[in-house]
Amino acid sequence: MPRDYWKYEGALAAPERVGHLPKLPLPHHDPSGPLAIADMADAFGVTHRTLHFYEEKGLLIAARMGPMRVYGPDHIRRMAVINACREIDMPIAAIQELLSSLAGAEDQTEAERLFKEALLSRRRELAAQQSNLRRQMQRIAELLEGEAGYGEASPNADEHVHLSPLESECLTFMAEGYPASRIARLMEMDLAAALTLEAGIIRKFNAHNRFQAIAKAVLSGMIAAE
């Protein structure tokens, strides 16, 4: 897209500036020019619908270049921040709060500090979730051991559950506490496929949910208990 065209149309349609933002890798493109919505989606590995959703939530603003929706340099940088936050499953509300704080940052140093604080906060949240998951897995294991005493056997060497390489990879991510949406991105598949894969694993372990399947996998030695 010609840079001069953006300058000409930008006087009428360019979105507002977004202030200071943390320095994150950007998709390869002319940094002074815009990206059409299709190019923006391809650059960040998202769908048009996702970009529309971010606009509805006030995270992004698209400009107009004739009939096309385009994103200027500031909002391409803003998308890099949003994408990084979504990769760690940061809630939309938390991203909104972060971007609001960044919009008021006085300089680059403050922007980097605010982003670091948001990452540290998310790490604490994930650590707490992991701790809760371990307690839940331990309790399920205890309950399953109790059930075995009443005649319901858990998987063992004689009743080994066979998993495909794809299922084994998915089970590992499940045991690490990743939700299906995150597993889908890690395994480069859509959410429906990830949910189907997870459901198949749960069924093979004759479990009622993912936590029981993980506990049975731990008891059978298929995955290591932490």
Side-chain angles (χ1 to χ4, degrees):
M1 194 174 297
R3 185 184 307 177
D4 291 342
Y5 186 65
W6 169 248
K7 288 180 178 179
Y8 175 78
E9 294 290 328
L12 299 175
E16 62 186 22
R17 293 187 62 81
V18 296
H20 295 282
L21 293 169
K23 294 180 179 178
L24 294 173
L26 297 174
H28 180 69
H29 74 290
D30 179 356
S32 65
L35 282 178
I37 187 169
D39 296 328
M40 182 81 150
D42 289 341
F44 288 99
V46 299
T47 64
H48 290 210
R49 185 176 180 180
T50 297
L51 294 175
H52 287 303
F53 173 73
Y54 290 159
E55 288 185 39
E56 290 172 3
K57 295 299 181 180
L59 302 178
L60 291 174
I61 301 176
R64 288 285 181 179
M65 186 177 289
M68 291 190 300
R69 300 168 66 83
V70 298
Y71 298 88
D74 284 343
H75 281 266
I76 296 170
R77 293 176 58 222
R78 192 176 174 101
M79 181 60 189
V81 176
I82 296 168
N83 217 40
C85 291
R86 291 303 292 156
E87 285 176 346
I88 57 174
D89 288 324
M90 186 181 290
I92 290 295
I95 300 175
Q96 290 172 323
E97 183 178 351
L98 171 60
L99 291 177
S100 178
S101 298
L102 290 171
E106 295 183 356
D107 53 33
Q108 188 64 39
T109 299
E110 184 179 0
E112 298 291 349
R113 177 183 62 78
L114 290 169
F115 185 57
K116 181 178 180 180
E117 288 177 354
L119 293 179
L120 291 173
S121 176
R122 182 58 182 157
R123 185 169 69 179
R124 289 191 293 270
E125 292 173 357
L126 291 173
Q129 291 175 13
Q130 187 176 40
S131 178
N132 289 335
L133 178 60
R134 287 173 179 168
R135 285 197 296 271
Q136 291 167 357
M137 287 177 60
Q138 179 60 37
R139 181 55 181 154
I140 290 171
E142 292 169 356
L143 291 171
L144 287 172
E145 288 174 353
E147 290 176 355
Y150 290 99
E152 182 176 327
S154 58
N156 52 40
D158 296 326
E159 299 176 346
H160 183 69
V161 175
H162 174 73
L163 298 180
S164 69
L166 199 63
E167 289 172 326
S168 295
E169 183 180 6
C170 182
L171 177 63
T172 299
F173 289 135
M174 290 165 61
E176 291 176 359
Y178 291 127
S181 57
R182 177 63 170 157
I183 293 174
R185 291 197 294 272
L186 290 169
M187 298 186 69
E188 299 182 346
M189 60 177 62
D190 60 38
L191 179 56
L195 288 170
T196 300
L197 187 62
E198 183 174 314
I201 294 170
I202 293 171
R203 186 170 57 253
K204 283 189 175 183
F205 278 100
N206 194 27
H208 298 296
N209 53 53
R210 62 158 34 206
F211 300 110
Q212 194 176 66
I214 293 167
K216 287 189 174 186
V218 171
L219 290 174
S220 67
M222 294 182 69
I223 54 176
E226 295 186 6

